[in-house]
Amino acid sequence: MAIGGGSATLDNFDMLSAAVNWVEKSQAPASVMATGRAFRAQPSAVRLPAHAQYNGSGNPDDGANYSCRQ
């Protein structure tokens, strides 16, 4: 049985650097960019209390085209 992967797998995100900066430099991350194959098809697929939501224009693979929403 293979473990891992799946349709909602994140391909790329750097949580370690965000955590290190928070602990060692007291710089809490405002956001952590994450990408995944499933989210390219549905940019707002993740629903969390505060989440990145596509603004509706521009390249959906560019984090600048998203806003943090509740």
Side-chain angles (χ1 to χ4, degrees):
M1 178 177 164
I3 298 175
S7 64
T9 300
L10 296 174
D11 298 325
N12 182 16
F13 69 101
D14 184 13
M15 196 64 186
L16 180 59
S17 292
V20 168
N21 284 334
W22 196 355
V23 170
E24 294 181 358
K25 300 176 184 175
S26 298
Q27 297 173 346
S31 64
V32 176
M33 292 298 298
T35 61
R37 290 181 303 276
F39 301 104
R40 290 188 186 107
Q42 296 176 314
S44 61
V46 174
R47 306 279 186 213
L48 300 173
H51 64 277
Q53 186 166 347
Y54 182 57
N55 294 329
S57 63
N59 183 346
D61 289 332
D62 183 354
N65 297 317
Y66 288 77
S67 298
C68 186
R69 304 218 177 123
Q70 297 282 328

